[in-house]
Amino acid sequence: MDTLETRELRYFVAVAEELHFGRAAERLGIAQPPLSRAIQQLERRLGVCLLERNRRGVALTGAGEVLLHEGRAALDATTAAVRRTRRAGGADSPGGPRNRLVLAVKAAASHELLRKLLDAYAAEPDAAEIEVLPSGMCEQPELLRDGRADVALMHAPFNSLAGFDSEELMTEEQIAILPAGHPLAARKTLTLADISDVPDLPLARWPRHGTYPPGPGPEIHDQTQLAQLIALGRTVAVFPDSARSWLWAEHAAVPVTDAPLVVTHIAWPAHSRSLALAGLIRTAVQL
């Protein structure tokens, strides 16, 4: 047996993520007994044990870890196929909308580059409609994998480009964004050490893959919240130099000399055959 049904994968991934049949059944909206039978049937068909069950609960076997990783990717690919097909289908109907591409961008990053890209592409013959999808710190890869986005502006070293095709668009240094009245704001340059342990100004913390790194700084949910907390003197953040475009009068920007360079890429799924996407990429590399 070399094939799996989407339903089987959804059931298994839910159990593997919850490690509890009752919670997984509730999440799936089904009763627990049929879910247990489905997992047992899946194990028999595959000829391997996926889950270890005992009085202490449920744990993944080595084979279960593999299927969880592969199953997530397969479900993302299936969802992406549906979403992208529907977007493409809208352009095929008589009198329907233009072809549409969803471009994921990190909120407030590469603002000037994004503006130039949208303006230049809109001037191209037969340009597709571009929907800009603002996203969180590390969300762009997930948006590409599950089809919510067709293309993304991603930033190394913060985003992983593994599994995607990409083109490099620009490289920039980083700045510390501080309250304008703080003593560090008067410095011409700073180092990461200068801002890593300031008692009255802890570094802001952004979520990565759903969790926040440890530290005393505030947990940041979006760029507007961050801007306000910096202006109030509650935190400091390190951003690419292009972030200057959204600074308030209450902010100060100081170059951080030893922060890694940030490279902005335009990235897309490696298997894409979209002509509209090819046109957008061509425009981006010509900027």
Side-chain angles (χ1 to χ4, degrees), residues 71-84:
R72 282 170 170 162
L75 290 174
D76 280 348
T78 300
T79 302
V82 171
R83 287 171 169 158
R84 293 191 176 111

Side-chain angles (χ1 to χ4, degrees), residues 182-197:
H182 195 276
L184 289 178
R187 300 268 295 272
K188 291 185 177 180
T189 62
L190 293 167
T191 66
L192 289 173
D194 291 331
I195 58 175
S196 63
D197 191 24

Side-chain angles (χ1 to χ4, degrees), residues 144-180:
L144 286 182
R145 291 190 183 100
D146 69 14
R148 283 177 288 171
D150 302 296
V151 60
L153 293 184
M154 290 164 57
H155 310 275
F158 307 113
N159 296 131
S160 171
L161 297 167
F164 303 114
D165 286 341
S166 66
E167 290 283 352
E168 182 178 322
L169 300 184
M170 74 174 191
T171 300
E172 56 186 321
E173 298 179 344
Q174 296 201 71
I175 55 174
I177 303 175
L178 310 108

Side-chain angles (χ1 to χ4, degrees), residues 4-24:
L4 291 174
E5 296 180 5
T6 302
R7 177 183 59 84
E8 292 178 306
L9 284 177
R10 283 197 303 108
Y11 284 9
F12 172 74
V13 168
V15 175
E17 290 180 343
E18 299 290 344
L19 292 178
H20 190 282
F21 276 88
R23 290 195 299 268

Side-chain angles (χ1 to χ4, degrees), residues 173-251:
E173 298 179 344
Q174 296 201 71
I175 55 174
I177 303 175
L178 310 108
H182 195 276
L184 289 178
R187 300 268 295 272
K188 291 185 177 180
T189 62
L190 293 167
T191 66
L192 289 173
D194 291 331
I195 58 175
S196 63
D197 191 24
V198 182
D200 63 333
L201 207 63
L203 279 165
R205 293 182 293 141
W206 291 89
R208 290 180 179 270
H209 311 295
T211 61
Y212 286 88
E219 296 181 352
I220 302 300
H221 308 291
D222 56 53
Q223 180 260 327
T224 301
Q225 178 199 25
L226 174 66
Q228 185 173 34
L229 288 175
I230 294 175
L232 292 171
R234 301 301 179 90
T235 191
V236 59
V238 178
F239 263 75
D241 189 76
S242 56
R244 293 176 185 272
S245 63
W246 58 261
L247 297 190
W248 299 358
E250 296 89 345
H251 297 155

